[in-house]
């Protein structure tokens, strides 16, 4: 059954995904808050198949939503408080006033888990472009099975789920693109300068297809993958929280500086051209021409702060305030050439990957595997965001002819591997269990089925009423 409103669809589900886990969440909510939840939000993690560290430079990416999810059970509170709890008792609860709270990220160790929830609430309540009811308190209980700091977007899934839940609670009916944009902006409350891929796939994912995500305007194009393609995700068991260090933002800043410097060298207004995609558009260049521009104009292996002040003709104060982020203002050296070459070459690989998948030649999967292998090598050498454990998994993959690359920000987390058929994927998983995880002490107490598994593309974020009906407030694409 569905309503006649274009922005609201009510459908009775025959079966809920992961029903046992949902039931446990609802029971936990009732026990903690002494009342039933009003609704539940489901938001998937994601794996990026190819196109790493290019979204914040304005270039397309190719992710898919995975089976691991964040679930939020939500109900209004009778006070002005946000009561935030986790079904996993290892995560401490948090309570604050919805009208006055602030998000103060610890200087060491990165954000607390509940601060990602606060980001989502703040994003809706402070967005001046939307209409919603007056801020009200909420009871929120979270259940997640996306491994944290693994490159599968657990933090962004929490933010996106909370944005959707807060919008629903406050009667703000929004389209998917607006929700994705707000969710991406929310992460800046904790200092992450991401590009929006994680949030876009959270809302725009479709079951059975990966999505080509493009920007300005935000749009998603479903791309059918080869019938025999099987994707395996393997956790390196090296955690990498991109908000906990300056490594991620350092790469964002280096790309920003490279684009600005190239723009100045080409006599363009460099202050308006912080992203390679914008610079490319202003120049009317192809990606190949952009790559040649980098080779010709970014000649130093390392640029010092002093070099850039002279080349950009800016003061120390202007440089720090306008081009850096709070956690990179200490940086004295910058690798512009290497970062630029990775972004441009990776963007070419995304193009080639999509073209190959669409044309589906006889050797389609081998070609796609090769592009994924090239991607990892570039991330390892030019972007310098890999990790020994990730490289070891890729080395084992190469021996089996599997196309594997790190996915997510890097510095740990997971790889995504493309296998040609179920038999090859099973052989790959078994090899990792015997040759990688068996030699990793941290893996001995883990369920290997959670660490290493095949997955398929899932659908985007949803809301379920407590009566177990699907209530989708996401309007069609604008």
């Amino acid at each position: 059954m569905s309503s006649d409103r274009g922005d609201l669809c009510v459908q009775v589900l025959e079966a809920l995904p992961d029903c046992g886990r949902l039931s446990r969440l609802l029971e936990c909510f009732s026990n903690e808050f002494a009342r039933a939840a009003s609704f539940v939000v489901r938001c998937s993690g994601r794996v990026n198949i190819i196109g790493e560290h290019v979204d914040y430079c304005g270039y397309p990416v190719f992710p898919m939503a995975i089976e691991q999810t964040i679930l939020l059970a939500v109900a209004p509170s009778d006070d002005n408080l946000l009561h935030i709890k986790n079904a996993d008792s290892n995560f401490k609860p948090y309570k604050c006033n919805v009208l006055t709270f602030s998000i103060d990220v610890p200087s060491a160790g990165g954000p607390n888990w509940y601060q990602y929830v606060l980001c989502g609430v703040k994003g809706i309540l402070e967005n001046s472009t939307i209409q919603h009811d007056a801020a009200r308190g909420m009871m929120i209980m979270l259940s997640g099975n996306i491994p944290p700091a693994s490159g599968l977007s657990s933090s962004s899934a929490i933010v996106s789920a909370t944005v959707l839940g807060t919008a629903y609670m406050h009667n703000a009916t929004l389209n998917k693109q607006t929700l994705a944009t707000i969710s991406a902006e929310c992460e800046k409350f904790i200092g992450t300068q991401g590009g929006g891929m994680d949030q876009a796939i959270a809302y725009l994912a479709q079951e059975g297809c990966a999505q080509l995500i493009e920007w300005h305007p935000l749009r998603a194009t479903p791309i059918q993958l080869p019938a025999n393609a099987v994707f395996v995700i393997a956790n390196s068991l090296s955690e990498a929280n991109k908000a906990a260090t300056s490594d991620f933002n350092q790469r964002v800043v280096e790309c920003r500086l490279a684009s600005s410097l190239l723009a100045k060298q080409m006599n363009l207004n460099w202050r308006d051209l912080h992203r390679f995609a914008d610079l490319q558009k202003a120049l009317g260049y192809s990606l190949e021409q952009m790559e040649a521009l980098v080779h010709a104009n970014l000649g130093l292996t390392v640029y010092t702060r002093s070099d850039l002040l002279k080349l950009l003709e800016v003061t120390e104060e202007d440089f720090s305030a306008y081009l850096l982020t709070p956690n990179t203002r200490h940086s004295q050296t910058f690798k512009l050439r290497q970062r630029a070459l990775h972004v441009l070459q990776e963007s070419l690989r995304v193009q080639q990957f999509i073209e190959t998948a669409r044309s589906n030649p006889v050797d389609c999967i081998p070609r796609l595997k090769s592009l994924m292998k090239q991607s990892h090598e570039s991330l390892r050498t030019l972007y310098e965001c890999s990790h020994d454990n990730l490289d070891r998994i890729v080395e084992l993959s190469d021996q089996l002819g599997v196309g594997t690359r790190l996915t997510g920000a890097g510095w740990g987390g997971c790889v995504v591997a493309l296998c040609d058929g179920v038999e090859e994927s099973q052989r790959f998983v078994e090899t990792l269990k015997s040759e990688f995880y068996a030699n990793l002490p941290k893996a001995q107490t883990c369920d290997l089925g959670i660490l290493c598994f095949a997955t398929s593309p899932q659908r985007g974020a949803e809301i379920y009423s407590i009566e177990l009906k699907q209530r989708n407030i996401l309007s069609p694409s604008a």
Side-chain angles (χ1 to χ4, degrees):
M1 178 179 67
S2 62
S3 74
D4 57 2
R5 288 177 55 190
D7 60 355
L8 177 60
C9 175
V10 180
Q11 179 183 358
V12 179
L13 295 181
E14 295 180 359
L16 289 175
D18 200 356
C19 194
R21 182 166 152 242
L22 179 57
S23 297
R24 290 191 295 275
L25 173 62
L26 294 176
E27 182 180 0
C28 189
F29 186 98
S30 297
N31 291 338
E32 289 292 327
F33 295 117
R35 62 153 295 172
S38 299
F39 61 90
V40 174
V41 181
R42 182 196 64 79
C43 189
S44 293
R46 67 97 188 96
V47 63
N48 191 23
I49 297 173
I50 196 164
E52 218 64 74
H53 287 285
V54 302
D55 56 341
Y56 51 78
C57 296
Y59 290 114
V61 291
F62 192 53
M64 68 181 189
I66 60 174
E67 296 168 24
Q68 284 70 18
T69 61
I70 294 296
L71 297 177
L72 291 185
V74 186
S77 66
D78 297 327
D79 48 30
N80 282 330
L81 300 181
L82 294 172
H83 305 262
I84 306 170
K85 298 190 176 186
N86 199 306
D88 183 343
S89 59
N90 290 316
F91 294 92
K92 67 177 182 179
Y94 186 76
K95 181 167 60 176
C96 63
N97 191 301
V98 70
L99 302 174
T100 61
F101 75 86
S102 60
I103 303 174
D104 303 312
V105 179
S107 58
N112 292 304
W113 75 274
Y114 56 80
Q115 290 181 306
Y116 293 105
V117 176
L118 295 178
C119 284
V121 176
K122 186 179 178 74
I124 289 294
L125 297 184
E126 295 191 0
N127 192 291
S128 61
T129 65
I130 65 171
Q131 297 295 317
H132 59 73
D133 292 349
R136 62 189 305 187
M138 292 188 287
M139 301 173 183
I140 301 172
M141 174 74 71
L142 182 148
S143 169
N145 63 358
I146 308 170
S150 64
L152 300 180
S153 194
S154 59
S155 57
S156 295
I158 295 174
V159 173
S160 297
T162 309
V163 163
L164 178 53
T166 305
Y168 188 76
M169 174 67 74
H170 290 82
N171 296 310
T173 300
L174 305 172
N175 66 43
K176 296 177 182 181
Q177 283 81 356
T178 304
L179 284 165
T181 300
I182 291 173
S183 298
E185 289 297 316
C186 286
E187 295 219 24
K188 294 178 182 177
F189 295 143
I190 53 171
T192 300
Q193 303 287 317
M197 171 183 64
D198 300 348
Q199 299 80 11
I201 194 64
Y203 294 105
L204 303 175
Q206 293 182 25
E207 191 166 4
C209 294
Q211 298 281 335
L212 176 65
I213 306 289
E214 300 171 275
W215 317 104
H216 307 289
L218 173 61
R219 58 191 180 275
T221 305
I223 304 294
Q224 196 66 47
L225 295 162
N228 212 38
V230 177
F231 288 95
V232 173
I233 296 173
N235 194 327
S236 71
L237 286 177
S238 304
E239 292 192 356
N241 187 328
K242 66 185 178 184
T245 72
S246 63
D247 291 333
F248 181 87
N249 282 356
Q250 177 75 15
R251 301 304 186 273
V252 176
V253 162
E254 287 169 328
C255 290
R256 183 184 298 171
L257 290 168
S259 181
S260 297
L261 181 55
L262 288 170
K264 191 171 194 314
Q265 292 168 335
M266 299 302 287
N267 297 314
L268 298 172
N269 183 1
W270 63 268
R271 289 181 179 272
D272 292 335
L273 296 169
H274 285 173
R275 302 185 315 156
F276 291 120
D278 296 333
L279 176 60
Q280 180 184 348
K281 183 178 180 180
L283 292 169
Y285 279 11
S286 66
L287 280 169
E288 291 85 353
Q289 288 173 312
M290 288 292 292
E291 185 180 349
L293 183 69
V294 171
H295 281 295
N297 290 275
L298 297 181
L300 299 181
T301 302
V302 176
Y303 285 81
T304 67
R305 200 180 186 103
S306 177
D307 291 333
L308 293 170
L309 292 176
K310 292 176 184 176
L311 290 167
L312 291 172
E313 299 179 296
V314 293
T315 64
E316 173 71 41
E317 293 75 18
D318 196 16
F319 180 80
S320 181
Y322 192 70
L323 291 165
L324 304 183
T325 63
N327 67 347
T328 60
R329 286 181 183 149
H330 65 282
S331 299
Q332 297 298 318
T333 59
F334 306 88
K335 296 184 177 181
L336 308 191
R337 177 187 178 90
Q338 300 91 316
R339 310 316 186 214
L341 287 175
H342 165 75
V343 168
L344 298 170
Q345 292 168 359
E346 182 79 347
S347 298
L348 271 170
R349 282 187 285 271
V350 173
Q351 282 188 6
Q352 294 163 358
F353 198 100
I354 299 302
E355 290 166 1
T356 303
R358 281 174 166 161
S359 61
N360 196 21
V362 175
D363 61 343
C364 183
I365 291 182
R367 286 194 199 181
L368 300 182
K369 286 180 176 181
S370 177
L371 290 168
M372 292 176 70
K373 182 177 177 180
Q374 293 168 32
S375 174
H376 182 81
E377 185 61 18
S378 179
L379 290 161
R380 186 181 71 84
T381 59
L382 292 177
Y383 229 69
E384 298 178 283
C385 63
S386 191
H387 183 280
D388 288 346
N389 283 3
L390 293 169
D391 294 339
R392 175 57 180 155
I393 295 175
V394 172
E395 179 185 332
L396 291 169
S397 305
D398 290 345
Q399 295 171 11
L400 296 172
V402 172
T404 305
R405 56 179 292 278
L406 73 84
T407 187
W411 297 284
C414 290
V415 302
V416 56
L418 172 57
C419 300
D420 192 350
V422 174
E423 185 176 329
E424 183 172 275
S425 70
Q426 291 174 339
R427 184 165 61 250
F428 174 57
V429 169
E430 290 306 313
T431 298
L432 289 187
K433 288 179 179 179
S434 61
E435 300 295 325
F436 178 72
Y437 293 114
N439 299 318
L440 208 61
K442 194 173 180 180
Q444 305 315 307
T445 57
C446 298
D447 179 356
L448 295 185
I450 294 175
L451 298 179
C452 186
F453 54 89
T455 190
S456 58
Q458 304 297 307
R459 59 186 182 273
E462 296 171 325
I463 286 183
Y464 304 100
S465 79
I466 202 62
E467 293 82 18
L468 304 188
K469 295 178 181 178
Q470 183 184 31
R471 302 182 66 189
N472 184 1
I473 67 164
L474 305 183
S475 68
S477 299

